[in-house]
């Protein structure tokens, strides 16, 4: 299937590692012009070098802390300067810290709000105004299965990602007439640094090894294994494609069947 992505200009945030990086690589493989960003220059350069060696493509990169409006504006403006326009925006972010209600103070809530919800709102605001000019665009938010079923000890993620789903659905209603789609991907347990760290945290709490925690996680999944970042990236790439032009306002779980609900 020709996804029609060749030459599309795609910005993927929080993309030096994990799911974001896999998405950036998949876009590069499809012939997109790709921009990546995260807080750490060395990590970004490593990713840029890897993409160069695999796809012979020099990705655009920019240091950006998604919690800071100035960094977001700077990244977006440099991306537009480089490519002239934005066609695809993937709002990914680092996961907020784990914790239960009693452990989370005002600062942690504020920071998670900026990271998970406000960064996507800010980037979407910048991107939509450019996409509307050409009446074409794709916005895809990376959330979590926690929007369908809250996960234990992830109070911040459980609370704020649902806000992002509400934002995305509302935005999809407003921008559909400009041929801009807005969708969400809800990953299940996907083997990245983030999952590894969550397993280490849970292991300490329950006095077992993190390997055992990861094995137990996999047993909960009908596919009987953890997901890979590349499997999340494949779903994102389809939603970003020309072929997915009539899919908007949806949340697609990519979780090996972990969520047991019907819808
Ligand atoms: P990861 O920790 O492997 O990678 C996170 C990326 O975000 C890194 O590139 C990091 O540098 C960047 N980042 C972190 N904070 C940032 C900030 N303030 N500004 C800019 N960049 C920042 O994580 P991942 O597993 O790839 O997860 C990506 C997202 O998907 C997270 O929000 C995570 O909670 C969510 N998610 C992951 C899983 C999973 O099992 N891995 C499941 C559901 C949801």
């Amino acid at each position: 299937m020709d996804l029609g992505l060749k030459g599309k200009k795609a910005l993927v945030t929080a993309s030096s590692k994990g799911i974001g990086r896999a998405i950036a690589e998949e876009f590069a493989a499809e012939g997109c012009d790709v921009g990546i960003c995260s807080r750490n220059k060395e990590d970004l350069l490593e990713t840029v070098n890897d993409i160069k060696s695999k796809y012979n493509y020099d990705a655009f990169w920019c240091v950006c802390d998604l919690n800071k409006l100035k960094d977001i504006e700077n990244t977006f403006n440099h991306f537009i300067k480089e490519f002239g326009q934005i066609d695809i925006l993937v709002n990914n972010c680092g996961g907020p810290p784990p914790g239960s209600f009693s452990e989370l103070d005002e600062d942690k809530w504020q920071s998670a709000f900026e990271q998970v919800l406000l960064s996507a709102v800010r980037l979407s605001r910048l991107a939509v105004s450019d996409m509307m000019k050409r009446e074409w665009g794709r916005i895809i938010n990376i959330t979590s299965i926690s929007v369908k079923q809250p996960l234990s000890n992830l109070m911040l993620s459980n609370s704020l990602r649902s806000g992002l789903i509400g934002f995305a659905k509302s935005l999809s209603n407003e921008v559909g007439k400009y041929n801009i789609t807005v969708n969400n991907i809800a990953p299940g347990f996907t083997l990245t640094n983030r999952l590894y760290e969550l397993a280490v945290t849970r292991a300490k709490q329950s006095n077992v090894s993190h390997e055992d925690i990861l094995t137990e996680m996999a047993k909960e999944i009908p596919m009987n294994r953890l997901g890979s970042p590349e499997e999340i990236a494949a779903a994102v790439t389809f939603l970003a494609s020309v072929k997915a032009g009539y899919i908007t306002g949806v949340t697609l779980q990519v979780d090996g069947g972990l969520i047991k609900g019907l819808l």
Side-chain angles (χ1 to χ4, degrees), residues 94-99 104 108 111-112 115 153-157 194 198:
L104 300 166
K108 285 191 179 136
S111 171
Q115 188 173 356
N153 205 40
L154 290 181
M155 171 60 83
L156 293 171
S157 172
R194 160 85 174 164
L198 285 175

Side-chain angles (χ1 to χ4, degrees), residues 17-18 23 56 75 98 106 166 225:
K17 290 182 185 160
I23 296 166
N56 196 26
T75 302
E106 180 74 16
R225 63 175 177 84

Side-chain angles (χ1 to χ4, degrees), residues 13-21 37-40 43 64-67 92-96 115-116 142-146 151 157 161 186-198 229:
T13 61
S15 40
S16 63
K17 290 182 185 160
I19 291 170
R21 175 181 167 146
C37 65
S38 76
R39 289 169 301 183
N40 186 296
D43 289 347
C64 176
D65 182 345
L66 287 166
N67 285 46
N92 183 41
C93 68
Q115 188 173 356
V116 173
I142 308 303
T143 64
S144 165
I145 47 159
S146 66
L151 296 168
S157 172
R161 291 190 196 279
F189 299 146
T190 311
L191 200 50
T192 64
N193 282 356
R194 160 85 174 164
L195 192 73
Y196 180 82
E197 281 161 17
L198 285 175

Side-chain angles (χ1 to χ4, degrees), residues 145 188 220-225 253-261:
I145 47 159
E220 279 181 59
I221 303 168
M223 299 294 292
N224 204 30
R225 63 175 177 84
Q253 63 220 48
V254 183
D255 67 351
L258 179 57
I259 294 294
K260 305 296 191 298

